[in-house]
């Protein structure tokens, strides 16, 4: 059986102090061809699914070979949620990225429809 080389790991987002785990993420190519990776970053010491988690983002300007420093994009406290998981990213019909709740013009991301609130 022939082994296939599928690529290489260019970035790892491992756990650390106050960050017991990271999980689901999504990639999106922005208008200027940078790559945005948004992932779920848990807070505290417990790695369980029900602990607070925010969405963080990192950007690559070189086709995914390297990524810049991560930063929080959306917090569970801002949304009044226990945690925020499983991001999905799409490119809108006008060619800019849309993601409910995210207002980050410097990344080319805008909220097309605000999230529903009680």
């Amino acid at each position: 059986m022939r082994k296939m080389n599928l690529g290489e790991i260019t970035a790892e987002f491992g756990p650390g102090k106050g960050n017991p785990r990271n999980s689901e993420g999504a990639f999106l190519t922005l208008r200027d061809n940078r790559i945005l990776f948004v992932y779920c970053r848990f807070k505290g010491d417990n790695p369980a699914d029900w602990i607070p988690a925010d969405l963080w983002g990192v950007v690559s300007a070189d086709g995914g070979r390297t990524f810049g420093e991560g930063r929080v994009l959306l917090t569970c406290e801002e949304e009044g949620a226990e945690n925020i998981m499983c991001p999905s990213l799409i490119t809108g019909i006008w060619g800019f990225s849309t993601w409910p709740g995210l207002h980050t013009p410097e990344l080319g991301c805008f909220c097309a429809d605000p999230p529903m609130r009680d």
Side-chain angles (χ1 to χ4, degrees):
M1 175 185 256
R2 195 175 87 175
K3 183 178 177 181
M4 295 183 68
N5 183 4
L6 297 178
E8 64 183 90
I9 296 171
T10 61
E12 291 189 40
F13 304 96
K17 185 175 176 77
N19 172 218
R21 76 181 238 230
N22 299 308
S23 65
E24 299 86 357
F27 290 92
L28 181 76
T29 301
L30 301 173
R31 288 183 292 183
D32 60 4
N33 289 320
R34 292 179 299 156
I35 298 171
L36 170 64
F37 176 58
V38 177
Y39 64 98
C40 179
R41 181 180 169 125
F42 287 81
K43 301 188 268 192
D45 297 319
N46 183 346
D49 280 346
W50 57 85
I51 68 162
D54 300 327
L55 292 182
W56 278 60
V58 293
V59 175
S60 173
D62 59 8
R65 288 184 289 281
T66 62
F67 284 85
E69 289 295 316
R71 69 175 192 165
V72 66
L73 298 177
L74 193 64
T75 69
C76 57
E77 293 85 7
E78 290 171 337
E79 293 300 306
E82 190 165 323
N83 62 31
I84 304 173
M85 299 174 65
C86 305
S88 296
L89 305 171
I90 62 170
T91 300
I93 60 174
W94 296 286
F96 57 84
S97 306
T98 62
W99 177 24
L102 179 66
H103 301 277
T104 314
E106 68 274 18
L107 294 179
C109 300
F110 301 90
C111 177
D113 294 306
M116 295 178 69
R117 304 221 187 251
D118 291 339

